[in-house]
Amino acid sequence: MENVIYNLYGTEGCHLCDDAELLCQQLLNKDDYRNVDIVSDDTLVELYSTSIPVLEHIESHTALYWPFNLQQLQEFIRGTN
């Protein structure tokens, strides 16, 4: 059973997305988030193409937009739990 709490929106080959994932790996369990490539969804491209990477808390639809650092990510996670 999947227990995904967050979506990490980005694109393949995006170095900023890679940086955001490294931050997520420091604070979240692997099963808590999933990478979502926005290229396959026109709505996501429209929403996030100029903002990626974006970490979205799925249940509340709140989002943390890049740029963010480890402390900002920790505060976001704390605020969504």
Side-chain angles (χ1 to χ4, degrees):
M1 177 179 243
E2 199 171 274
N3 190 32
V4 176
I5 302 169
Y6 300 95
N7 286 324
L8 180 58
Y9 296 110
T11 59
E12 191 174 317
C14 167
H15 73 280
L16 298 176
C17 302
D18 293 341
D19 291 347
E21 183 168 13
L22 289 173
L23 293 175
C24 288
Q25 289 172 351
Q26 293 180 53
L27 297 177
L28 295 168
N29 293 320
K30 182 181 175 188
D31 295 335
D32 287 345
Y33 72 96
R34 67 177 158 225
N35 290 305
V36 178
D37 191 334
I38 66 168
V39 173
S40 61
D41 186 318
D42 290 340
T43 302
L44 293 177
V45 169
E46 188 174 321
L47 286 171
Y48 299 124
S49 65
T50 61
S51 304
I52 59 169
V54 176
L55 184 68
E56 177 197 33
H57 181 251
I58 296 168
E59 186 176 319
S60 68
H61 299 287
T62 57
L64 180 63
Y65 291 81
W66 191 262
F68 54 84
N69 60 35
L70 193 61
Q71 181 179 351
Q72 291 166 318
L73 177 59
Q74 189 170 31
E75 291 169 6
F76 177 73
I77 292 167
R78 191 177 305 128
T80 58
N81 285 329

